[in-house]
Each structure stands twice: as C-alpha cells, then as structure tokens.
Amino acid sequence: MWLDSVIAQARLEELPVRSQTRRELAQVLADEATPLGRIALVVMSDPGLALRVLQQANQVEHRHFSREIASLEDAIQMLGTRTLAELERTAPLAETVLDAQRLDHYQRSCGRALLAALLAQDWAELDRDRVPTEIALAALLNNLGELYLLAHGDARINRYLEMMARVQVLPHEAEYVTLSESLEALGYRLALKWSLPEMARESMRGRNARHLRPLCVMLATQIARHAYSGWGRPGQWSDLRLVAELLELDVGMLCDRVDRVLDRFNERAWLYGCKPLDALPLVTGREEARMLARPCDTAFCLAPRADDLARASASLVPGVIDDRERLILAWLRGLHRGLGLNRVLYVAFDPLQGRLTAEQLVGTDFEPSFNRFSLALEAGGLFARLIETPGALWLNAANRAEWIDQVPVDVKTLTGVESFMARSVWVRGQPVGLVYADRRAVDCALDVRAYQGFMQLAALAEAALARFG
C-alpha cells in the first residue's frame, strides 16, 4: 500500500526549517535575557524545528522528567539554547530543498499550524487547562501528514492543495480524489513512528473528538483552515458553534477572542509570505441559524472503486485479519472507498450504559462535530430498535415520511442528512454495535447498488468479528 511505503521511508530529518526561523532564532538567542516564552514562540513558528526539538528532548534521560515531554518550553529547557541552535543549524533550509510551488504551500501550512496552536492555547487557558502548552503543541503538529508530503516531494499533495483552493471542496473529498489515504491516517502513523507525545498522536484520531482536549486541537485546526480560506468554507459556523459551546461563550464573544488571536498571528503573517488574515465576518443570529441549517453542497460525488471493494471483501474473510481494530477499519475503508460512501462509522454498543458511541470513523477527519457521535438508547428511536432486534434500514425518499420522525433529533442535527444506511451488528446472539453510512450531500443520492454492497460487507464483517468475541 502507498501509505505503508511512505511510512517505511519517512525520516523526520526531511522536514526543513525556514530561513526566517534561522534569522529570528539567532536574534533571540543572542540576548541572554530573552524570556523562555519568546524563544518557544520562535520554535513553535516552525513545525520542522519544533519536531526536532521535541524528539531530541524525549531521547534524553533526565531525572526531573518521569514522563514524556509534551511542551516546547520543557523541551527547550531540557536541551539548552546551545543544543537548540545546533539543531536548527544542521537542519535543511526550506528555501534550498523545496521548489517554488512546494515552498509556497509549505509556508502556508506552517502558518496555519501556528495559528491553530495559538487558538488552541488561548482556548485551553480560558478553560483553565492544566497544561495549555501541551494542547498548543498538539495543534501545531496536527497537520503533520500534509507538511511531510510537501517536504518529501509527493506530487499528490500539490494536487490536493490545488483542489482545496476551491472553497466549496471539502477536505475529505479532496483526499479521496488525490490521495490513497487520509492525511489524518498518515499523520498518525508518522507520529507513532517518531514517538511524538500521546496528546499530539491521539489528537490525530477522529474518534477522540469525544474527549475535550483532543477536540480542542481538532477545532483549532479547523478554525485556522477557515481563517486561511477567508471564512468561506462549508461547516465553519458549525465548528464555531461547537467551540462556543465547549467554552461556554456566545458566538459573538468567541468571535472577539478569535479576532484577538488573529491580530497576534497577523504580526507574524509576513514570515509565511502571506497578507494579514481577515477578521471573522459579523453575522446576526438569524444569519448564523440560516448558515447552520443550509444543506451541504458538493463539487462532486465520490465514485465507487471496484478494486478497493474487492480488497475489503477479501480482507473480511474470517482469519485474514487478526486484530479487531484493523478489521473494523478495513470494513469501513471498503464502504468509503469501495462504495463511494462519504461518511462511515462503526458505533460500539455499551449495554451497561445503554449507549452507542463512535469507535471508528472514515471520511470524517475534518468534522469534529460528527466524530462526537454518541446516543443514549432511551432516546435512540430507530437506532434503539436496530440494537434490540437484528436489522437494517436505508432511509430514503420512498420511506422517509414513514420513518423520519423516529430518527432521534440529535442524530438529525449531527448528520445534517435525510438519507442514510444503518445496520446493527450482532455477534454470538448479542448486539455489539451499529454501522452507519451516508453521502453527506443531497445531490449525491444513495442507490440500490450502494445498499447491496453495504449489506454484503456488513455480513462479512459480522462473521469475522465473531472470532473476537
């Protein structure tokens, strides 16, 4: 597989530092009175340097640190300024190793990463998080997959970013067309290989959106993306609304905080070759509600891929995959890439709590709200019925009038669609979960062929899961 090949060859040393970083770091280190926070900001402004500092610090045994180092301040203190300067001096320069197009994209990605880190730290401090700098570092590294492919020189990432320049294109769909895997999956595998801190690693997994600290990282990454796109991307008001809820702010107060962080970032925007970013546009409550209720548009629908479907079917034969998590991911990949279903998730059933909670998701990397899928069976409607009795449902135009009122309000709000497929999963006579799929956009309708494939893969997966109890 392409992803396995990339990971096997990946070297952290490929990520360059920027010439602006070299000049600025020399200036701050020349003054012995420079505060640690100022030095950390320079390092945080360049993900390539931050990665080197972090990895080097975690390789040093030190009696004062009983666990991994997960903030740049601690890492810099551990190494000292002389080692910091040497790490920067021996790193390749982006302006030397990247061609003009890659350099432009790389600088923009670095800028987005810094903005995400600044947003995440501001929100963590407001929420009185114990270690805000740990969350900031995780946000800085959250787009590691994108940064690495740009440094590595894979042409696919250029095509992805060119497609993402079109405001109406969603990241999931751009990945589907231009890449063999999601950038989130690539970033997570790189984070494992390079032994990055747990917070940075786990914030790269969509299923962890149910936990507050990784969710803060994911949302900061999203808001930074929206800001860099000029505040015109689909989903931005949903993301802002979720941030406001988490921080217990109204949207107006949140916008003020975002704008203050933008002002701070804009002081450094020139370092990334970009103009100062625009402030959030002012909207009324009525305009916000209209934007939240607007159906998701799409530039194109995902095409089914017969080779991916065949590969998934073969992998779901009992005994082929000996790891439960890998099996579920192979199943969901078959639904996503094999059948062209945009969003697919496996929801685990906890009989003690009477709750369905998202366990694995594919095609939803950039949708923190969706990734928080959780439903109490007492309010489960159709989903509760599927857990109580083995069965499946394809909600569509023909049966919508009959069934739509039995779809829980929370699910309607979360998914934003009126057509989806769902099937309960039973193992050894007991319900263990539920699989869900949709095509997100109204103009990309589900069809009979997709439903048949959905049911076939579910039956194979259910049989394979029986081996794991």
Side-chain angles (χ1 to χ4, degrees):
M1 289 177 60
W2 172 75
L3 179 58
D4 293 332
S5 175
V6 170
I7 296 298
Q9 300 174 38
R11 294 182 303 109
L12 186 148
E13 293 77 12
E14 288 184 79
L15 286 154
V17 300
R18 299 160 43 254
S19 60
Q20 292 283 4
T21 303
R22 174 161 295 178
R23 288 190 286 271
E24 190 175 16
L25 187 64
Q27 290 173 0
V28 298
L29 294 185
D31 183 357
E32 293 183 358
T34 300
L36 176 61
R38 178 76 178 93
I39 299 173
L41 176 60
V42 175
V43 176
M44 188 166 68
S45 298
D46 196 314
L49 179 57
L51 278 164
R52 284 171 170 78
V53 170
L54 189 64
Q55 188 183 60
Q56 183 78 8
N58 275 309
Q59 290 175 350
V60 176
E61 292 187 10
H62 200 285
R63 62 187 177 91
H64 295 302
F65 292 91
S66 59
R67 58 191 295 271
E68 65 185 6
I69 295 173
S71 79
L72 288 176
E73 284 82 353
D74 287 345
I76 293 167
Q77 282 188 316
M78 164 77 77
L79 297 176
T81 56
R82 185 172 299 177
T83 301
L84 172 59
E86 181 65 13
L87 283 173
E88 187 282 322
R89 187 189 66 80
T90 57
L93 279 179
E95 287 78 0
T96 300
V97 299
L98 304 180
D99 62 35
Q101 183 184 36
R102 283 164 58 204
L103 178 62
D104 180 59
H105 285 320
Y106 188 78
Q107 296 218 105
R108 288 180 64 83
S109 292
C110 288
R112 278 205 337 267
L114 174 62
L115 177 56
L118 295 175
L119 287 166
Q121 183 161 342
D122 179 67
W123 300 341
E125 290 171 350
L126 176 64
D127 200 45
R128 294 184 174 85
D129 185 85
R130 183 171 53 86
V131 191
T133 53
E134 183 180 27
I135 293 180
L137 180 62
L140 180 75
L141 303 179
N142 201 238
N143 68 338
L144 178 59
E146 178 179 317
L147 286 165
Y148 176 74
L149 287 185
L150 283 167
H152 186 63
D154 194 308
R156 304 177 196 211
I157 193 64
N158 288 332
R159 293 196 294 270
Y160 166 81
L161 292 170
E162 288 165 3
M163 182 169 286
M164 282 300 300
R166 300 161 60 187
V167 172
Q168 75 274 26
V169 175
L170 294 165
H172 322 67
E173 280 70 46
E175 288 180 345
Y176 191 93
V177 172
T178 60
L179 304 171
S180 297
E181 292 284 349
S182 77
L183 290 172
E184 182 183 71
L186 173 59
Y188 179 70
R189 291 277 299 274
L190 289 172
L192 286 176
K193 179 171 182 173
W194 295 337
S195 301
L196 298 189
E198 181 181 20
M199 183 65 193
R201 296 195 311 267
E202 294 305 314
S203 296
M204 297 176 185
R205 309 185 83 184
R207 68 182 189 179
N208 288 326
R210 62 181 182 268
H211 304 301
L212 180 59
R213 300 182 87 222
L215 178 60
C216 178
V217 171
M218 297 171 193
L219 286 167
T221 301
Q222 282 294 93
I223 300 306
R225 185 181 299 277
H226 296 317
Y228 254 75
S229 299
W231 303 109
R233 286 208 171 276
Q236 71 181 35
W237 290 105
S238 174
D239 291 335
L240 286 164
R241 170 57 64 186
L242 181 54
V243 177
E245 290 174 3
L246 293 174
L247 299 178
E248 298 182 351
L249 300 173
D250 62 45
V251 172
M253 293 174 65
L254 173 64
C255 290
D256 288 342
R257 290 196 75 94
V258 170
D259 286 345
R260 286 198 293 271
V261 175
L262 280 170
D263 288 342
R264 185 182 175 198
F265 171 80
N266 282 336
E267 294 174 358
R268 306 182 65 78
W270 66 274
L271 296 170
Y272 304 101
C274 70
K275 298 177 181 178
L277 302 179
D278 293 335
L280 259 168
L282 296 175
V283 297
T284 64
R286 181 176 298 179
E287 288 172 329
E288 181 195 346
R290 178 177 56 81
M291 292 173 183
L292 286 168
R294 187 178 65 187
C296 178
D297 299 324
T298 186
F300 51 82
C301 303
L302 306 189
R305 297 182 174 179
D307 55 340
D308 280 308
L309 181 59
R311 193 175 298 115
S313 299
S315 68
L316 295 177
V317 172
V320 173
I321 296 179
D322 59 3
D323 177 84
R324 181 179 176 277
E325 180 174 319
R326 285 180 52 228
L327 187 144
I328 292 175
L329 286 172
W331 172 18
L332 299 188
R333 179 185 171 87
L335 295 173
H336 178 58
R337 300 190 72 84
L339 298 175
L341 299 172
N342 293 64
R343 300 186 295 194
V344 296
L345 71 152
Y346 177 76
V347 190
F349 172 54
D350 184 337
L352 296 179
Q353 296 187 11
R355 179 168 289 275
L356 293 164
T357 304
E359 180 179 326
Q360 297 291 350
L361 310 98
V362 173
T364 66
D365 297 355
F366 300 91
E367 291 186 81
S369 296
F370 188 89
N371 293 341
R372 289 169 60 79
F373 190 106
S374 181
L375 183 68
L377 279 201
E378 62 188 23
L382 281 174
F383 291 82
R385 293 178 59 178
L386 290 175
I387 290 296
E388 291 166 359
T389 306
L393 173 71
W394 168 19
L395 185 68
N396 55 44
N399 60 21
R400 187 172 299 122
E402 178 182 359
W403 294 111
I404 192 65
D405 289 341
Q406 296 186 46
V407 178
V409 173
D410 287 350
V411 173
K412 292 179 186 176
T413 302
L414 187 69
T415 63
V417 298
E418 293 187 344
S419 182
F420 61 79
M421 300 171 181
R423 181 190 186 277
S424 55
V425 180
W426 286 60
V427 173
R428 298 179 183 175
Q430 298 295 322
V432 297
L434 181 144
V435 61
Y436 168 98
D438 67 38
R439 280 205 171 119
R440 188 186 289 109
V442 175
D443 47 346
C444 294
L446 298 168
D447 53 33
V448 172
R449 181 179 176 182
Y451 185 61
Q452 291 173 340
F454 175 82
M455 294 295 288
Q456 290 167 2
L457 286 182
L460 289 172
E462 191 173 62
L465 284 169
R467 295 185 64 244
F468 302 100

